[in-house]
Amino acid sequence: MSTGFKLDERNSAVIGKICTILYAFTIYFLIGDVLYREFALHQSPKQFHDIAALITGNVLVFITLLLYYGGVNVGKISFRYVVVGYVLFVSLGMAFTVFKYRLNNLSAILDKAVIVVTICSIMVIVAVTVAYIGRRRIDRQIE
């Protein structure tokens, strides 16, 4: 019978911290690569679409799993924080969209605003729902 490589809580915590740091570095460097390709090299989005999709999917799944498994203590979901987060998402999304597409026409900005607001709304609704379900799951496990 093999005893394997046994880890205590401290070793598991250290490994988890290292993995989190390396994950964050990887995501930040991939985001930097996409931004560099788009704004410095002026490449077509088709040339880095796969990397952008990988980053987006990975971050969304990471946040979802973090909320569901309770890696982040969400406590009671504060309406104020949800609204602030939503406004921040919409503001950053609009600023990025206006900068990326060099929009200066009000009707074009409003057309893009509908898309940004819809995407941000879906993201916030999914995040709050997953956090709520994860919190209920943790409460059931504690009982």
Side-chain angles (χ1 to χ4, degrees):
M1 181 164 115
S2 175
T3 58
F5 187 64
K6 295 186 179 192
L7 298 174
D8 61 8
E9 287 182 18
R10 183 183 163 280
N11 290 339
S12 295
V14 168
I15 290 171
K17 190 171 191 173
I18 290 169
C19 289
T20 302
I21 290 169
L22 291 176
Y23 171 79
F25 278 144
T26 303
I27 294 298
Y28 288 138
F29 282 118
L30 285 173
I31 291 170
D33 180 49
V34 167
L35 294 175
Y36 177 74
R37 287 178 181 206
E38 183 168 3
F39 296 113
L41 300 179
H42 303 290
Q43 290 183 347
S44 162
K46 291 179 182 177
Q47 293 176 306
F48 54 85
H49 187 324
D50 54 343
I51 296 172
L54 179 66
I55 293 168
T56 303
N58 194 296
V59 169
L60 291 176
V61 169
F62 176 76
I63 291 170
T64 302
L65 291 175
L66 206 61
L67 291 171
Y68 182 75
Y69 285 111
V72 175
N73 184 8
V74 293
K76 291 185 178 179
I77 298 172
S78 169
F79 183 73
R80 188 180 89 183
Y81 289 131
V82 171
V83 170
V84 169
Y86 177 75
V87 170
L88 183 65
F89 279 144
V90 170
S91 300
L92 289 173
M94 283 306 303
F96 182 79
T97 302
V98 168
F99 179 73
K100 178 180 178 179
Y101 296 108
R102 293 174 173 56
L103 300 175
N104 54 10
N105 182 340
L106 183 61
S107 66
I109 292 173
L110 291 176
D111 288 343
K112 296 291 184 181
V114 170
I115 296 169
V116 171
V117 167
T118 303
I119 291 171
C120 291
S121 298
I122 292 169
M123 288 174 54
V124 168
I125 289 169
V126 168
V128 168
T129 303
V130 169
Y132 176 74
I133 292 170
R135 178 68 181 199
R136 283 186 42 213
R137 180 185 150 277
I138 290 171
D139 288 344
R140 275 186 269 140
Q141 286 179 343
I142 290 173
E143 292 173 2

